[in-house]
Amino acid sequence: QVRSPQQPACAGAPRRAMAACRVAHVSPLKADCGAVDDDIAFDVTLDVAEPLKDDVNVRCVYVVDASQPERDLELESLDVGNNPGVPQGVLKFTLQAPPPSRDVLEQGPGSLEVTVVYLSALYRGKEFCRVGYYVRHEYTDPAMQEEPPEIVAWEKLRRVLSEPCITHFPIAWDDRPVAV
């Protein structure tokens, strides 16, 4: 089928509704060298296109074992808004979460294996955005990284985060139908 110059490329395609709130930006404060026992902190920017009747909830979750989602550990949860409601505009904040305990790190695939930490943005209990990072712990000493000791030397481990993986989910916003 040939398209005429007057016909837009998306003609006939369903129009995607705009979300009332979106996660505009997330960046970890220590992406490449936070110590394993340091807090995990993210700068977050929400872009609210229209006022919301309820607060937005942002959670920081550590995946203990990817094969068992019920074991996911919520490290921190923050309600963003005026209790209740979120005004139109741009909101910037820092979400700071305690690190998972060493016991939790050992319960998962192992202290040197890759896992996930993610931020989940929810409105009225419905997730509308997830920003996930692969997490690995590595030794600061290259020789220890090549040949890890039998007993974990926690004081010599650092946390390294990948680039983010971002997923958006359609939800209903106040009196509007689900945005798809």
Side-chain angles (χ1 to χ4, degrees):
Q1 178 181 12
V2 177
R3 184 169 36 93
S4 73
Q6 293 82 19
Q7 183 183 18
C10 60
R15 292 186 56 101
R16 186 177 176 144
M18 188 171 124
C21 178
R22 69 183 184 90
V23 177
H25 182 77
V26 174
S27 63
L29 295 183
K30 293 182 180 179
D32 60 352
C33 60
V36 72
D37 291 325
D38 286 353
D39 284 355
I40 302 170
F42 297 92
D43 282 333
V44 181
T45 303
L46 295 180
D47 183 6
V48 185
E50 59 188 63
L52 298 173
K53 294 178 182 176
D54 293 302
D55 289 354
V56 169
N57 179 255
V58 181
R59 301 170 53 223
C60 180
V61 178
Y62 180 82
V63 176
V64 177
D65 184 341
S67 67
Q68 299 178 1
E70 67 278 1
R71 293 186 60 207
D72 288 0
L73 177 65
E74 183 176 287
L75 299 174
E76 186 62 76
S77 178
L78 178 66
D79 284 334
V80 179
N82 293 333
N83 198 23
V86 181
Q88 181 177 355
V90 175
L91 302 171
K92 295 181 180 187
F93 58 93
T94 298
L95 176 65
Q96 187 165 337
S101 69
R102 293 175 179 183
D103 289 340
V104 167
L105 294 176
E106 290 176 334
Q107 290 172 20
S111 59
L112 297 179
E113 299 299 319
V114 175
T115 189
V116 172
V117 65
Y118 65 88
L119 295 184
S120 176
L122 302 100
Y123 184 67
R124 294 184 172 169
K126 302 292 183 191
E127 184 176 36
F128 64 89
C129 185
R130 181 177 291 188
V131 181
Y133 296 85
Y134 290 105
V135 179
R136 74 177 190 278
H137 296 103
E138 62 184 32
Y139 283 104
T140 54
D141 177 347
M144 291 179 81
Q145 185 64 24
E146 189 66 32
E147 290 290 326
E150 286 186 33
I151 297 174
V152 177
W154 294 102
E155 68 284 351
K156 296 194 180 203
L157 282 178
R158 68 179 182 171
R159 179 187 313 112
V160 180
L161 301 180
S162 71
E163 290 297 312
C165 299
I166 303 166
T167 307
H168 299 275
F169 305 96
I171 68 164
W173 298 95
D174 290 333
D175 300 324
R176 293 177 25 196
V178 173
V180 291

